[in-house]
Amino acid sequence: LKQENYVEQSLVTIPQGLAPGLYNITFDLNWTNLDGTDIVTVDNVTINVLANPQIEIDRNSLNFTVMNEQNGTKNFTISSVGNVQVNNVSIFCISGTACTDFDMKISPSQVLLFFPGTITEIIVNTSVPEVYQTGLYNGTMLINGTYQGQIVNITMPVWMRVPINTT
Protein backbone atom coordinates (compact mmCIF):
# COMPACT_ATOMS: atom_id res chain seq x y z
CA LEU A 1 0.00 0.00 0.00
CA LYS A 2 1.25 3.49 -0.75
CA GLN A 3 3.47 5.18 1.84
CA GLU A 4 3.39 2.17 4.16
CA ASN A 5 6.30 0.31 5.64
CA TYR A 6 6.74 -3.35 6.30
CA VAL A 7 9.14 -4.51 8.99
CA GLU A 8 10.46 -8.06 9.23
CA GLN A 9 12.80 -9.29 11.94
CA SER A 10 15.46 -11.94 11.50
CA LEU A 11 17.34 -13.88 14.13
CA VAL A 12 21.02 -14.48 13.49
CA THR A 13 22.57 -17.31 15.53
CA ILE A 14 26.34 -17.33 15.83
CA PRO A 15 27.74 -20.88 16.08
CA GLN A 16 29.75 -21.74 19.17
CA GLY A 17 33.49 -21.44 18.55
CA LEU A 18 33.19 -19.09 15.56
CA ALA A 19 36.49 -17.22 15.26
CA PRO A 20 36.48 -13.48 15.97
CA GLY A 21 36.18 -11.30 12.91
CA LEU A 22 33.85 -9.47 10.56
CA TYR A 23 31.22 -11.57 8.78
CA ASN A 24 28.85 -10.41 6.03
CA ILE A 25 25.29 -11.64 5.77
CA THR A 26 23.57 -11.06 2.43
CA PHE A 27 19.80 -10.65 2.29
CA ASP A 28 17.86 -11.03 -0.96
CA LEU A 29 14.63 -9.03 -0.66
CA ASN A 30 11.80 -9.72 -3.13
CA TRP A 31 8.34 -8.20 -3.34
CA THR A 32 5.55 -7.46 -5.76
CA ASN A 33 4.12 -3.96 -6.02
CA LEU A 34 0.38 -3.32 -6.33
CA ASP A 35 0.84 -2.64 -10.04
CA GLY A 36 2.23 -6.18 -10.48
CA THR A 37 5.90 -5.25 -10.90
CA ASP A 38 8.45 -7.39 -9.08
CA ILE A 39 11.29 -5.79 -7.16
CA VAL A 40 14.48 -7.57 -6.14
CA THR A 41 17.12 -5.93 -4.00
CA VAL A 42 20.18 -7.19 -2.16
CA ASP A 43 21.36 -5.83 1.17
CA ASN A 44 24.37 -6.71 3.33
CA VAL A 45 24.78 -6.60 7.08
CA THR A 46 28.21 -6.88 8.71
CA ILE A 47 28.41 -8.78 12.00
CA ASN A 48 31.42 -8.21 14.26
CA VAL A 49 32.11 -11.38 16.29
CA LEU A 50 34.27 -10.46 19.28
CA ALA A 51 36.74 -12.65 21.14
CA ASN A 52 34.99 -14.46 23.96
CA PRO A 53 37.36 -16.51 26.13
CA GLN A 54 35.29 -18.67 28.48
CA ILE A 55 35.83 -21.63 30.77
CA GLU A 56 33.11 -23.75 32.34
CA ILE A 57 33.32 -26.23 35.22
CA ASP A 58 31.18 -29.38 35.17
CA ARG A 59 30.01 -29.03 38.79
CA ASN A 60 28.99 -26.42 41.37
CA SER A 61 31.32 -27.56 44.15
CA LEU A 62 33.96 -30.12 45.08
CA ASN A 63 32.99 -32.16 48.15
CA PHE A 64 35.32 -34.39 50.15
CA THR A 65 34.73 -36.64 53.15
CA VAL A 66 38.08 -37.77 54.53
CA MET A 67 38.97 -39.36 57.86
CA ASN A 68 41.97 -38.30 59.96
CA GLU A 69 45.25 -39.52 58.50
CA GLN A 70 43.54 -40.50 55.22
CA ASN A 71 43.54 -39.28 51.60
CA GLY A 72 40.66 -38.40 49.33
CA THR A 73 40.54 -37.91 45.57
CA LYS A 74 37.93 -36.11 43.47
CA ASN A 75 37.91 -34.97 39.89
CA PHE A 76 36.15 -32.37 37.79
CA THR A 77 36.41 -31.21 34.22
CA ILE A 78 36.95 -27.77 32.77
CA SER A 79 35.84 -26.92 29.24
CA SER A 80 36.90 -24.13 26.92
CA VAL A 81 33.51 -22.96 25.63
CA GLY A 82 34.42 -19.59 24.12
CA ASN A 83 35.61 -18.83 20.62
CA VAL A 84 39.31 -18.20 21.39
CA GLN A 85 41.93 -20.04 23.40
CA VAL A 86 42.52 -19.20 27.03
CA ASN A 87 46.23 -18.97 27.84
CA ASN A 88 48.07 -19.96 31.01
CA VAL A 89 45.10 -21.51 32.79
CA SER A 90 45.98 -22.10 36.44
CA ILE A 91 43.99 -24.15 38.93
CA PHE A 92 44.61 -23.69 42.65
CA CYS A 93 42.95 -23.56 46.03
CA ILE A 94 43.11 -19.91 47.10
CA SER A 95 41.37 -19.45 50.43
CA GLY A 96 39.62 -21.06 53.36
CA THR A 97 40.47 -23.78 55.83
CA ALA A 98 40.03 -26.50 53.19
CA CYS A 99 42.92 -24.88 51.29
CA THR A 100 45.19 -23.91 54.18
CA ASP A 101 44.92 -26.81 56.65
CA PHE A 102 44.76 -29.79 54.30
CA ASP A 103 47.43 -30.87 51.84
CA MET A 104 45.70 -30.32 48.48
CA LYS A 105 47.42 -31.45 45.27
CA ILE A 106 45.92 -30.52 41.89
CA SER A 107 46.86 -32.21 38.62
CA PRO A 108 47.26 -30.70 36.16
CA SER A 109 47.56 -27.39 37.94
CA GLN A 110 48.22 -25.51 34.69
CA VAL A 111 47.13 -25.70 31.05
CA LEU A 112 49.25 -23.44 28.84
CA LEU A 113 46.96 -23.26 25.78
CA PHE A 114 43.30 -24.14 26.28
CA PHE A 115 41.70 -24.13 22.82
CA PRO A 116 37.95 -23.80 22.14
CA GLY A 117 36.17 -27.13 22.44
CA THR A 118 38.88 -28.62 24.66
CA ILE A 119 37.93 -30.54 27.81
CA THR A 120 40.47 -31.29 30.55
CA GLU A 121 40.00 -33.51 33.58
CA ILE A 122 41.41 -32.09 36.82
CA ILE A 123 42.28 -34.48 39.67
CA VAL A 124 42.39 -33.15 43.22
CA ASN A 125 43.97 -35.21 45.99
CA THR A 126 43.79 -34.07 49.58
CA SER A 127 44.82 -35.47 52.93
CA VAL A 128 43.80 -34.85 56.52
CA PRO A 129 46.44 -34.63 59.25
CA GLU A 130 46.70 -37.39 61.86
CA VAL A 131 44.71 -35.44 64.43
CA TYR A 132 42.17 -32.93 63.14
CA GLN A 133 38.92 -31.73 64.67
CA THR A 134 35.72 -33.20 63.28
CA GLY A 135 33.80 -30.69 61.19
CA LEU A 136 32.95 -29.22 57.82
CA TYR A 137 35.56 -26.88 56.34
CA ASN A 138 35.24 -24.71 53.27
CA GLY A 139 37.58 -23.23 50.73
CA THR A 140 37.62 -21.70 47.28
CA MET A 141 39.22 -23.09 44.15
CA LEU A 142 40.18 -20.60 41.43
CA ILE A 143 40.52 -21.40 37.74
CA ASN A 144 41.95 -18.45 35.86
CA GLY A 145 43.63 -17.61 32.57
CA THR A 146 44.03 -14.82 30.04
CA TYR A 147 43.47 -13.94 26.40
CA GLN A 148 45.12 -10.78 25.06
CA GLY A 149 44.78 -8.95 28.35
CA GLN A 150 41.28 -10.26 29.14
CA ILE A 151 41.20 -12.15 32.42
CA VAL A 152 39.02 -15.23 32.81
CA ASN A 153 38.25 -16.15 36.44
CA ILE A 154 35.97 -18.88 37.73
CA THR A 155 35.66 -19.93 41.36
CA MET A 156 34.29 -23.13 42.81
CA PRO A 157 33.57 -23.88 46.49
CA VAL A 158 35.51 -26.74 48.08
CA TRP A 159 34.01 -28.54 51.08
CA MET A 160 36.06 -30.80 53.32
CA ARG A 161 34.15 -32.92 55.82
CA VAL A 162 36.19 -34.62 58.53
CA PRO A 163 33.89 -37.18 60.22
CA ILE A 164 34.20 -38.55 63.73
CA ASN A 165 36.79 -41.28 63.93
CA THR A 166 35.16 -44.14 65.85
CA THR A 167 38.16 -46.49 65.82
Side-chain angles (χ1 to χ4, degrees):
L1 301 172
K2 286 186 177 185
Q3 304 300 320
E4 289 194 24
N5 294 320
Y6 178 77
V7 175
E8 183 68 39
Q9 293 183 356
S10 296
L11 175 65
V12 176
T13 303
I14 306 299
Q16 183 176 357
L18 185 67
L22 297 175
Y23 295 88
N24 288 316
I25 299 175
T26 302
F27 294 95
D28 292 328
L29 307 168
N30 305 302
W31 70 90
T32 302
N33 289 322
L34 290 176
D35 64 4
T37 58
D38 290 326
I39 303 294
V40 177
T41 187
V42 176
D43 200 2
N44 289 306
V45 174
T46 300
I47 306 284
N48 186 9
V49 176
L50 303 175
N52 185 22
Q54 282 191 355
I55 297 173
E56 285 184 355
I57 306 171
D58 72 341
R59 64 194 65 230
N60 294 326
S61 64
L62 201 58
N63 304 303
F64 291 90
T65 299
V66 182
M67 300 285 289
N68 286 334
E69 209 175 3
Q70 298 291 316
N71 297 321
T73 301
K74 296 286 181 176
N75 63 346
F76 64 95
T77 57
I78 57 173
S79 304
S80 179
V81 296
N83 65 346
V84 292
Q85 82 275 1
V86 182
N87 301 313
N88 301 314
V89 176
S90 296
I91 304 106
F92 46 97
C93 207
I94 60 167
S95 66
T97 306
C99 299
T100 59
D101 287 12
F102 304 105
D103 184 24
M104 195 162 297
K105 292 179 176 37
I106 301 167
S107 179
S109 60
Q110 189 171 40
V111 179
L112 294 180
L113 294 174
F114 201 33
F115 293 101
T118 304
I119 298 171
T120 299
E121 181 179 41
I122 309 298
I123 299 168
V124 181
N125 187 288
T126 189
S127 60
V128 176
E130 182 179 349
V131 177
Y132 203 87
Q133 185 175 349
T134 298
L136 181 62
Y137 304 95
N138 71 324
T140 302
M141 186 151 309
L142 174 67
I143 295 97
N144 75 347
T146 61
Y147 175 78
Q148 295 184 352
Q150 293 182 55
I151 297 173
V152 179
N153 281 333
I154 300 173
T155 58
M156 177 176 60
V158 176
W159 294 98
M160 180 67 123
R161 184 175 161 276
V162 178
I164 294 174
N165 190 348
T166 57
T167 58

